[in-house]
Amino acid sequence: MYTHSKIKNLNDFFVERDSRPGRCVYFYRINGYTEEIGQFIQKYYEAARLSGVIIEGRIPNPDEKNLAYYEEIMGLEFRMNPDFIAQRLKKWLPRMNDYQRGNVAKSLYDTLDTLRKSGKNDNMLKNAYIKFMCWLYYKFERIVNMLGESRIPKILYEGQIGSYELLLITILSNAGCDVVLLQYGGDMKYRELDADSKVSDNLALPGMREFPPNFNLKWVRTEIQNALNNERIYGTKPQIANCTNAWIEGKGFDDFRKSPAGRGSDPGLFYNCFYRINGVEDKVTYANGLYQFWQELACEKRRVVIVDGGIPKPEMEEIAAVKRKNYTRQDEMLMDLSANIQYTANIELQRLMVKAFLDVLLAEAKTAGISLSKLTNKAVYMLCWLRRYQKQLFSNWRLPDISCFIHMGPCQDENEALFLRILARLPVDVLVLKPNLNGVCCLADPLLYEIHFTDSLNLERFPQQSADVQVGTVAFHAERELDGLMYQDTGVYRNYQYGKAVSITLQTMYEEIQILWKEELKYRPNFSTENGIVTLPVIFAKVSGVKDGIVQKYWSSIKDLIVEDTFVVKNVPYIDATAPNPMKQYAADFFKNGRLQRKKIRENPNYQYSFLRDEVQEHIFDKLQLLIESRVIRGTFENGTEYTIIATILNMPKEIVRLIQKFDFTKKNPKLIYINTGEKLISLEDSILVAFLNMAGFDVVFFVPTGYQNIEKHFGRRLMEEHQIGEYIYDLQVPNMALVSSGTRVSWRDRLFRR
């Protein structure tokens, strides 16, 4: 018979019989969870699967067929005698040897004797004996034939165990089995059967908590299967591994400067670092310090890649070069795509890249809600970037070489973050610089080491040339700090403080147009500045009819709206479709796969906006892309109208372009007044221009005294608020607005003080 003993650690369960102290087995209950316990259960499950029994839920009672077969073979004779039990076991379970049979018979007899002493009568003992014999035959026949071997058989029981089940498993435990009970609901029910824990021990480890809601043996099987699949996916693994950050001293740039050969001596490891440095230590010297750092890396012949702001997204040609198929399973997808990683110059480096790629993608696959198609797209991005930077980072690579990848600015894209995580598991030092503390970085990784400084500096480009280094004086940075205090969340804004904006159209009463028209945008409802983007509440309206039929007051009301930075269209159409447009012939080249090809546009010799500030050009491109994607112009993506949109917006009149260049998003916005007194329909080009200006932040009002629907033809949906203000009047001629008297009365005080 075997004795029960206590473990020193969970690995004791996997020690073979002859290496255990005495003839001992282990019988433990697990009522809580840690990561260590989770790993142990997976390992114990696999051991029980190979040489033991796994029970999920209760052991079913013998049914009529089981009992009938037992009676046919064994009869119903029963005697409370260990020799009788041993003889019956020899007939019922003939594959057991004498040693196994003797241990089981002795343990079974002791259990029945305990029941007898507790008051059970002979008939009850007989029933228990038959139940145990049936369970041994139908559930545990394979395990009793392993008793006494060097590898101790395992029983893994999931759930709340019943009284007779506990008795039988105790019989097997005493005969030479290890037992683990998984009790997700706690120990209370078990203590009703074994109040003093005489039969089994309760596992107690530091940090134990409740089992995760989804934890069960089905989940364990899935994890084991996934691990097996992963082994198949990885193929031949590399012989070296990364030692990331374990060797660093936390000294920032000095750790990067340290010679790769001097970081560690284990031939099976390469020593790299993975840093994010938030803020700057000294604003006056920071830019020059970066330049000197870059120079030192160059002198050391280190291979360095620097990206400013963000990693450029893969081009269509790069994506098309990735060989792939249609996938229905994750493992199939990852194994197939990883074959795209080729580096014949160094097969060990190729294996490192495959492993890093799979490690990160398999971890990403566990993200809640991620689909196979989305994971595939991410994998394709990673392969494109690996191929793009492979030569720059790993040309002629040999241990202990470590290249350097510097990301200037925070990671604002989850794909970028994934790629940096892959690089951090390769022979690459990865450095993310976030000098501006207002930036938000989405990169998170257990390997990442962070340094935090309290000072903030707005530096968007890494200074790689001496001409790039601009060193601010102490007074300059003090002024910038004062700007931060004055112009952040105060309602006061510096000139051209923001470079990005989105427009929302206000729904107003007609009378409100006169009030809001002359107000600065920041005073209008729903104006905001969040995350560096200004929300512009703009007016986009059509005014039909003439109020009270009084033409003179009608023109005067329009005259009141012609303020500074107002562009007035009197002749319909404003843009003639037959007029020369040098951008038409290039429009098809400027738009590929649903995206505006900004680089191609900028490089075109006929591009007309290169003199504008960069942020203004980007604002135009953003709204042009939005105008196409929104499909507000009828025919977009149906008959090539998207190319007309591109040609029209890239050839706007210079008066309009100047208004866009002058536009400060936190102050008064430019205006467009479009007067259509006749029966001519607004042209497609005019419709495009008007819709674009609305998105770009202009106030736009159509005055249509006839009330005709002559401006809606080319709009795919209702874009503007229409105000019916009076009777329709036809055949009006637009007067010289300079000669029209204003409808706003000037008080004697204003005249006196010339206001």
Side-chain angles (χ1 to χ4, degrees):
M1 295 290 287
Y2 286 75
T3 61
H4 287 183
S5 185
K6 295 185 182 298
I7 62 171
K8 294 179 179 178
N9 60 67
L10 290 171
N11 285 328
D12 287 350
F13 272 95
F14 308 107
V15 174
E16 293 188 349
R17 183 193 65 180
D18 295 339
S19 298
R20 295 189 180 188
R23 292 166 56 84
C24 79
V25 292
Y26 306 118
F27 190 163
Y28 269 81
R29 313 186 303 277
I30 301 180
N31 298 295
Y33 183 82
T34 66
E35 295 302 323
E36 181 187 5
I37 289 173
Q39 294 170 9
F40 163 75
I41 292 171
Q42 289 193 34
K43 187 175 180 181
Y44 191 89
Y45 178 96
E46 190 65 13
R49 186 182 67 82
L50 294 173
S51 57
V53 172
I54 298 167
I55 303 165
E56 299 178 62
R58 304 292 289 268
I59 305 173
N61 284 321
D63 58 23
E64 291 183 3
K65 290 182 179 180
N66 300 149
L67 295 172
Y69 180 72
Y70 175 81
E71 183 178 353
E72 179 184 344
I73 301 299
M74 304 294 292
L76 296 177
E77 184 182 4
F78 169 70
R79 292 199 298 266
M80 268 294 292
N81 182 290
D83 291 335
F84 170 81
I85 294 174
Q87 291 172 2
R88 306 309 284 173
L89 283 172
K90 186 173 184 178
K91 183 177 182 180
W92 184 235
L93 296 166
R95 291 203 303 155
M96 293 172 66
N97 60 36
D98 292 341
Y99 173 80
Q100 295 164 343
R101 191 180 308 111
N103 279 340
V104 173
K106 177 69 169 61
S107 183
L108 179 52
Y109 174 80
D110 289 347
T111 298
L112 292 173
D113 191 49
T114 301
L115 290 174
R116 183 181 62 181
K117 291 175 181 177
S118 69
K120 304 295 184 185
N121 59 38
D122 289 345
N123 191 54
M124 296 170 72
L125 294 177
K126 178 181 177 180
N127 289 338
Y129 161 77
I130 293 173
K131 175 182 283 193
F132 291 155
M133 293 290 275
C134 287
W135 276 349
L136 286 172
Y137 181 86
Y138 289 108
K139 192 67 179 178
F140 296 97
E141 196 272 342
R142 74 185 294 250
I143 205 172
V144 294
N145 301 317
M146 300 176 182
L147 296 172
E149 295 180 358
S150 180
R151 179 187 293 179
I152 294 180
K154 314 292 185 194
I155 296 175
L156 178 59
Y157 188 105
E158 177 186 56
Q160 294 294 339
I161 196 166
S163 59
Y164 279 89
E165 292 172 304
L166 181 59
L167 290 173
L168 178 65
I169 287 177
T170 303
I171 291 169
L172 291 170
S173 176
N174 293 337
C177 289
D178 286 333
V179 181
V180 168
L181 303 183
L182 292 180
Q183 302 185 143
Y184 307 136
D187 210 28
M188 186 179 299
K189 291 287 186 182
Y190 177 87
R191 288 300 185 94
E192 294 175 3
L193 305 177
D194 180 22
D196 298 325
S197 291
K198 291 180 179 179
V199 173
S200 67
D201 293 296
N202 181 38
L203 181 67
L205 294 179
M208 288 179 66
R209 60 186 186 276
E210 289 185 1
F211 280 93
N214 63 333
F215 189 92
N216 53 39
L217 291 184
K218 182 180 180 181
W219 180 87
V220 169
R221 278 195 299 277
T222 302
E223 288 297 296
I224 292 173
Q225 186 60 50
N226 288 341
L228 292 172
N229 288 342
N230 292 346
E231 288 295 322
R232 182 173 57 88
I233 293 169
Y234 278 96
T236 305
K237 289 192 175 181
Q239 297 179 355
I240 58 174
N242 59 304
C243 177
T244 305
N245 287 350
W247 56 272
I248 65 173
E249 299 178 27
K251 294 182 178 180
F253 295 110
D254 286 342
D255 287 328
F256 284 82
R257 291 185 178 98
K258 192 166 185 178
S259 166
R263 296 176 177 183
S265 57
D266 190 329
L269 299 174
F270 60 85
Y271 298 85
N272 68 327
C273 48
F274 188 18
Y275 260 89
R276 177 166 55 215
I277 301 179
N278 304 288
V280 300
E281 188 173 13
D282 188 331
K283 289 187 284 190
V284 176
T285 62
Y286 182 75
N288 187 56
L290 288 185
Y291 176 67
Q292 295 299 327
F293 174 61
W294 155 252
Q295 289 288 89
E296 291 172 34
L297 294 178
C299 290
E300 292 292 325
K301 308 295 184 184
R302 296 272 299 276
R303 289 175 289 274
V304 182
V305 171
I306 298 174
V307 295
D308 291 315
I311 304 172
K313 287 182 169 52
E315 301 286 345
M316 294 308 300
E317 294 80 5
E318 293 177 297
I319 293 174
V322 176
K323 297 177 182 178
R324 58 192 184 277
K325 306 170 186 173
N326 293 323
Y327 305 108
T328 57
R329 298 200 327 269
Q330 175 186 298
D331 58 341
E332 174 193 21
M333 179 270 291
L334 290 174
M335 186 165 64
D336 186 61
L337 287 182
S338 64
N340 284 274
I341 300 175
Q342 298 291 325
Y343 195 74
T344 55
N346 192 308
I347 192 64
E348 184 68 6
L349 181 58
Q350 178 178 309
R351 290 169 181 166
L352 279 172
M353 287 192 279
V354 169
K355 183 178 184 301
F357 171 79
L358 292 173
D359 283 349
V360 172
L361 267 295
L362 285 169
E364 184 67 13
K366 296 180 180 178
T367 305
I370 191 166
S371 64
L372 179 61
S373 61
K374 187 174 182 180
L375 188 66
T376 304
N377 292 337
K378 288 177 179 289
V380 170
Y381 262 54
M382 299 306 104
L383 294 170
C384 290
W385 282 334
L386 271 175
R387 186 172 293 175
R388 180 193 296 173
Y389 296 113
Q390 186 172 279
K391 185 176 181 181
Q392 295 170 260
L393 291 172
F394 304 119
S395 178
N396 300 317
W397 179 83
R398 292 291 183 274
L399 270 178
D401 291 354
I402 300 291
S403 53
C404 189
F405 190 96
I406 301 173
H407 190 288
M408 187 66 187
C411 288
Q412 299 180 1
D413 181 280
E414 59 184 17
N415 287 328
E416 282 188 343
L418 275 183
F419 183 62
L420 294 188
R421 292 174 59 196
I422 291 174
L423 290 183
R425 287 154 174 82
L426 296 174
V428 182
D429 285 341
V430 178
L431 174 60
V432 178
L433 295 171
K434 195 167 78 71
N436 189 341
L437 293 174
N438 293 324
V440 178
C441 184
C442 67
L443 174 63
D445 193 288
L447 297 180
L448 183 66
Y449 183 83
E450 289 200 75
I451 291 180
H452 298 274
F453 294 110
T454 55
D455 284 341
S456 182
L457 181 66
N458 186 22
L459 183 66
E460 297 180 352
R461 295 181 60 82
F462 190 100
Q464 300 180 53
Q465 304 292 336
S466 58
D468 295 334
V469 180
Q470 295 180 333
V471 181
T473 64
V474 174
F476 171 83
H477 290 295
E479 182 187 40
R480 284 289 178 264
E481 287 182 5
L482 183 60
D483 280 358
L485 293 173
M486 291 181 62
Y487 301 124
Q488 293 295 328
D489 302 320
T490 62
V492 180
Y493 302 100
R494 189 172 60 248
N495 288 338
Y496 301 105
Q497 182 172 342
Y498 295 95
K500 287 187 173 291
V502 294
S503 296
I504 57 171
T505 299
L506 291 171
Q507 289 183 309
T508 68
M509 302 291 290
Y510 167 67
E511 290 75 15
E512 289 181 291
I513 294 176
Q514 293 279 354
I515 299 170
L516 296 171
W517 191 261
K518 300 175 185 179
E519 278 191 346
E520 291 187 4
L521 290 168
K522 63 184 178 183
Y523 299 126
R524 292 184 179 180
N526 298 301
F527 173 86
S528 68
T529 55
E530 296 289 338
N531 300 319
I533 300 175
V534 186
T535 298
L536 309 173
V538 299
I539 298 168
F540 195 20
K542 173 185 177 182
V543 180
S544 297
V546 176
K547 191 172 184 179
D548 301 326
I550 304 174
V551 174
Q552 181 58 41
K553 284 187 176 181
Y554 179 70
W555 296 123
S556 294
S557 66
I558 297 175
K559 171 69 177 288
D560 288 341
L561 298 180
I562 303 176
V563 295
E564 185 181 2
D565 296 335
T566 303
F567 190 80
V568 182
V569 175
K570 302 178 183 178
N571 299 311
V572 181
Y574 172 60
I575 300 176
D576 188 345
T578 62
N581 185 335
M583 306 309 289
K584 275 186 179 179
Q585 60 182 310
Y586 306 109
D589 293 331
F590 291 162
F591 194 73
K592 298 288 185 183
N593 301 303
R595 303 301 300 174
L596 204 62
Q597 304 299 299
R598 304 186 185 205
K599 185 177 179 182
K600 283 187 178 180
I601 295 173
R602 285 178 178 268
E603 293 173 350
N604 189 283
N606 291 295
Y607 177 56
Q608 302 175 30
Y609 305 149
S610 57
F611 56 84
L612 299 177
R613 290 179 287 118
D614 283 341
E615 56 267 31
V616 175
Q617 295 183 56
E618 287 301 313
H619 184 61
I620 292 173
F621 291 149
D622 288 345
K623 302 315 166 190
L624 176 52
Q625 178 76 44
L626 178 61
L627 179 58
I628 296 171
E629 289 178 349
S630 66
R631 303 180 187 232
V632 298
I633 302 300
R634 189 171 283 132
T636 304
F637 296 120
E638 294 176 4
N639 54 21
T641 300
E642 59 271 22
Y643 303 120
T644 305
I645 294 172
I646 293 169
T648 301
I649 300 307
L650 294 180
N651 189 49
M652 292 185 290
K654 65 180 181 181
E655 296 86 356
I656 299 289
V657 175
R658 287 174 177 174
L659 290 177
I660 298 174
Q661 163 78 1
K662 184 181 176 183
F663 183 19
D664 187 338
F665 297 145
T666 62
K667 296 181 172 57
K668 291 184 178 180
N669 59 330
K671 326 285 184 183
L672 175 71
I673 296 176
Y674 198 114
I675 306 172
N676 190 352
T677 61
E679 298 176 357
K680 287 185 178 180
L681 296 175
I682 183 173
S683 68
L684 172 61
E685 288 73 14
D686 283 7
S687 300
I688 291 168
L689 177 64
V690 167
F692 170 81
L693 294 180
N694 166 250
M695 293 178 177
F698 279 55
D699 285 336
V700 178
V701 176
F702 285 90
F703 285 95
V704 186
T706 61
Y708 288 150
Q709 291 196 44
N710 52 13
I711 65 174
E712 292 88 352
K713 176 183 177 183
H714 299 292
F715 294 149
R717 59 179 182 270
R718 181 178 176 180
L719 298 180
M720 65 194 77
E721 192 74 15
E722 183 172 3
H723 303 282
Q724 299 285 348
I725 65 167
E727 64 180 276
Y728 299 148
I729 297 182
Y730 308 97
D731 303 321
L732 288 179
Q733 297 297 316
V734 181
N736 183 345
M737 301 305 292
L739 302 178
V740 174
S741 61
S742 173
T744 304
R745 291 188 175 184
V746 181
S747 69
W748 66 270
R749 290 185 181 86
D750 289 342
R751 288 197 299 270
L752 178 62
F753 294 105
R754 299 185 178 277
R755 291 182 61 187

